Amino acid sequence: MEGIWTKLALRLWAVLLLLFLFFPILLIFFYAFNTSNIESWPIPGLTLKWFSSTWNDREVRQALLLSLKAGLTATVLALVLGSCAAFAIHRMTFFGRDVVSLLFILPLALPGIITGMALNAFFSFNGVTLSIWTIVVGHTTFCIVVVYNNVLARLRRTQGSLIEAAMDLGANGFQTFRDITLPLISTAVVAGGMLAFALSFDEVIVTTFTAGAQNTLPLWIFGAIRLGQRLPEVNVVVSFVILVTVIPVVIAARLTGGGGVAKVQAR
Amino acid sequence: MRGAVRIQALLWRVPWLRAWLLLTPPLAWFVLVYLAALVLLLVTAFWTIDTFTTQIVQVWNLDNFRTIFTEPAYRRIIGRTVTMAVLVTVTDALLAFPFAYYMARVASRRTQTLLFAAVLLPLWASYLARVYAWILILNHDGVLNWSLQSIGLPPANIGYTNVAMWVVFSYIWLPFMIIPVYAAMERVPESLLEAAADLGARRWRAVRDVVLPLALPGIAAGSIFTFSLTLGDFITPILVGGAGSSFIGNVVYSSVGIANNVPFAAALAMIPVAIMAVYLLGAKRLGAFEAL
């Protein structure tokens, strides 16, 4: 329908916008190989030396370890709680169902700073010392939604008659769950877990309010950029974080056909 | 064994019992931790701290809100934050509209899927990484100044300014605008445009009078994200902003971290929440929630 020139202009706009979206991300990978420790353009040459120095940095390792521990724990908790919530909400009409649904979405709808501050005030009010566990509580709270959304979307697309058929054929509740329900929802659960981990691994706002003296990887990056210190290592760590957050999302998108990924909003 | 079977049968026959058993753990988590924390935050906003001991004094008063509304410094900061949120939202809407139009109405089905993935991917690539990338681009010896100088233009030198913040915010939240606008535009049937053409409307007129109004709920939906995310951010102002770049979030952050004045921070944090509540009411009227 559009004229040839309009089409061309629109295509040009699309290409420029894609460049705008991807150029900064690709640039970081480039800087990770920078021979100089000064972040100026053009970079003088390529080297691998920052990769080994980052790997051997004790602070980075500790931060990575904490991020992995907190992320995995939060993911497991979110998987259990989010799946429970999805099963309960699915096809159950009870009073206040919409309110409960809204409650689960709240941590993503409210600005991260509110969630972070509220939890911070809550912990200090109750005399809880900030530690890895307070980080886990914060992360779990906003990761539950991701699992909940994915599992609920899958449950809505599966037929209840399959479960009734299994029951009619004499399967007990456990057998039905193991042989029918679980295979049907497994990819959605895995996808939810992947997204939850990606969300947790990169989270910085809620974490600044819930972490004690220890750094997660994003907190380490934030501190280093703010002070302008060890930027060559920041390049390497940041490239790594991009990969760790993007790869699970790509897998999750494949498992759910893309729907689950689009629905999630980061804060 | 018989007991287990009986319990299962009971759970199957009484669905609400099963639902509540399943719902209790996640609901307990949300009510006992999250909701409790939010309520506490709301209540704290009406308390004060003892300026000598920095202990919280649990006496109800409106001192925090009075300070916020009477001190010109806070009004400036709130004004700056809201202005930036509006600017970023408008910028993203302008950038997203032609792109979403291309995706929905010109590109082939295959290209559409690819573009959709290409828009989603940066959204998930670490937030900090994307902010950091712009520090590399905008700093004095960065890509931007180098490129300008190599084509004979003077350097832009916008690193660590409000302009830098505007660029970075517009960049980070852009996918949040593109996706709902695209979704809204994809739903516009081609027949409507044909009808407009039959009635003598030129293509541009049809875009303005048919596509734009129908895409408006999508723009409103996208603006909820771009607006609220900018409003609540404090990381980007710290990392790419300059001396006079404090946002509401920065004052909240330093009130908790440095001044240890949680009641004041809580009161200040109510400002973006209140603004968002008003904004959401407006967006709802534009049909944003149907487009989400």
Side-chain angles (χ1 to χ4, degrees):
Chain A
M1 293 287 283
E2 278 78 14
I4 182 94
W5 290 110
T6 318
K7 266 189 187 171
L8 228 86
L10 284 170
R11 185 161 298 151
L12 183 70
W13 185 261
V15 171
L16 287 176
L17 211 68
L18 283 182
L19 276 177
F20 176 60
L21 282 176
F22 280 92
F23 174 74
I25 297 171
L26 296 175
L27 188 75
I28 295 177
F29 286 102
F30 218 57
Y31 267 105
F33 299 95
N34 186 2
T35 40
S36 163
N37 57 356
I38 298 160
E39 312 303 318
S40 62
W41 188 263
I43 59 173
L46 301 171
T47 175
L48 287 171
K49 67 178 172 183
W50 303 117
F51 286 85
S52 60
S53 78
T54 308
W55 180 246
N56 291 319
D57 187 320
R58 223 169 57 89
E59 273 184 36
V60 175
R61 275 201 187 196
Q62 281 174 343
L64 173 65
L65 208 64
L66 183 65
S67 276
L68 288 175
K69 275 189 204 160
L72 290 173
T73 317
T75 303
V76 170
L77 280 170
L79 278 175
V80 174
L81 295 171
S83 304
C84 280
F87 271 103
I89 295 288
H90 172 60
R91 294 222 282 173
M92 295 291 162
T93 42
F94 56 85
F95 178 72
R97 182 188 138 139
D98 287 342
V99 178
V100 173
S101 219
L102 184 73
L103 189 61
F104 291 145
I105 298 167
L106 211 55
L108 284 192
L110 282 178
I113 193 167
I114 306 280
T115 303
M117 260 198 73
L119 289 174
N120 181 286
F122 182 71
F123 291 138
S124 69
F125 188 80
N126 290 312
V128 179
T129 321
L130 298 180
S131 66
I132 179 172
W133 294 109
T134 50
I135 301 177
V136 167
V137 169
H139 285 205
T140 306
T141 304
F142 62 75
C143 284
I144 288 175
V145 195
V146 190
V147 178
Y148 168 76
N149 275 344
N150 265 282
V151 176
L152 189 62
R154 178 64 57 88
L155 284 173
R156 285 196 175 135
R157 272 187 284 131
T158 54
Q159 289 162 331
S161 56
L162 283 175
I163 290 159
E164 281 159 20
M167 291 277 197
D168 286 345
L169 292 169
N172 64 31
F174 176 71
Q175 281 173 324
T176 314
F177 182 75
R178 189 193 60 195
D179 295 337
I180 308 292
T181 315
L182 203 57
L184 282 173
I185 64 159
S186 61
T187 51
V189 174
V190 173
M194 296 251 168
L195 295 178
F197 183 77
L199 212 56
S200 158
F201 197 74
D202 181 45
E203 214 290 329
V204 57
I205 293 184
V206 175
T207 318
T208 48
F209 287 99
T210 51
Q214 292 169 297
N215 272 345
T216 61
L217 213 47
L219 287 185
W220 180 86
I221 298 170
F222 180 47
I225 302 175
R226 184 138 77 134
L227 300 172
Q229 286 171 348
R230 293 195 277 182
L231 293 182
E233 289 186 13
V234 170
N235 294 331
V236 175
V237 175
V238 156
S239 309
F240 172 74
V241 174
I242 293 178
L243 292 179
V244 173
T245 48
V246 163
I247 291 170
V249 175
V250 173
I251 299 172
R254 300 225 133 196
L255 290 175
T256 59
V261 184
K263 277 239 156 145
V264 172
Q265 305 101 33
R267 55 230 47 260
Chain B
M1 200 56 211
R2 281 198 74 90
V5 170
R6 205 171 290 163
I7 291 170
Q8 278 170 12
L10 179 73
L11 288 180
W12 183 253
R13 247 180 287 117
V14 193
W16 60 263
L17 186 64
R18 194 171 48 156
W20 280 106
L21 272 178
L22 280 167
L23 197 59
T24 304
L27 200 59
W29 178 284
F30 266 86
V31 172
L32 296 181
V33 179
Y34 192 52
L35 215 54
L38 286 176
V39 170
L40 180 69
L41 188 70
L42 184 67
V43 171
T44 313
F46 297 94
W47 291 343
T48 40
I49 59 160
D50 187 312
T51 36
F52 292 106
T53 60
T54 71
Q55 289 297 309
I56 293 176
V57 184
Q58 298 183 7
V59 180
W60 291 81
N61 65 78
L62 290 168
D63 286 4
N64 296 319
F65 292 98
R66 201 169 297 132
T67 312
I68 292 166
F69 289 116
T70 50
E71 288 259 355
Y74 294 119
R75 258 182 298 173
R76 255 204 314 278
I77 288 168
I78 294 168
R80 178 187 302 133
T81 311
V82 174
T83 312
M84 183 62 79
V86 171
L87 270 177
V88 169
T89 300
V90 172
T91 310
D92 277 346
L94 290 175
L95 290 174
F97 191 83
F99 186 80
Y101 189 89
Y102 175 77
M103 267 177 91
R105 313 218 64 93
V106 180
S108 67
R109 202 96 199 104
R110 212 182 117 75
T111 322
Q112 237 174 68
T113 323
L114 280 174
L115 286 176
F116 194 73
V119 172
L120 277 182
L121 216 55
L123 199 62
W124 282 94
S126 164
Y127 161 86
L128 271 177
R130 288 179 297 146
V131 176
Y132 175 62
W134 281 95
I135 299 177
L136 296 177
I137 295 172
L138 299 177
N139 74 19
H140 187 72
D141 300 316
V143 179
L144 181 68
N145 280 353
W146 179 84
S147 314
L148 288 172
Q149 275 166 323
S150 61
I151 54 170
L153 291 170
N157 285 333
I158 55 169
Y160 307 106
T161 61
N162 287 337
V163 180
M165 279 208 294
W166 169 64
V167 173
V168 173
F169 275 131
S170 304
Y171 170 78
I172 320 183
W173 311 137
L174 181 57
F176 285 108
M177 182 63 89
I178 294 177
I179 291 160
V181 177
Y182 160 72
M185 253 185 233
E186 214 207 358
R187 281 197 289 263
V188 179
E190 189 64 32
S191 56
L192 275 185
L193 291 171
E194 282 162 10
D198 287 346
L199 293 168
R202 301 263 202 132
R203 195 67 190 179
W204 287 109
R205 176 97 199 272
V207 168
R208 197 190 65 196
D209 290 347
V210 178
V211 180
L212 188 62
L214 289 170
L216 208 59
I219 297 174
S223 79
I224 294 176
F225 298 116
T226 57
F227 191 79
S228 80
L229 290 167
T230 313
L231 212 58
D233 201 296
F234 65 93
I235 306 284
T236 297
I238 290 177
L239 294 182
V240 301
S245 296
S246 276
F247 268 29
I248 300 173
N250 296 98
V251 184
V252 172
Y253 178 58
S254 56
S255 297
V256 176
I258 300 161
N260 207 10
N261 190 345
V262 177
F264 182 72
L268 197 56
M270 293 305 145
I271 305 290
V273 174
I275 297 172
M276 263 332 281
V278 174
Y279 194 87
L280 285 174
L281 281 177
K284 192 170 192 272
R285 295 194 65 151
L286 288 172
F289 293 105
E290 285 74 36
L292 276 177

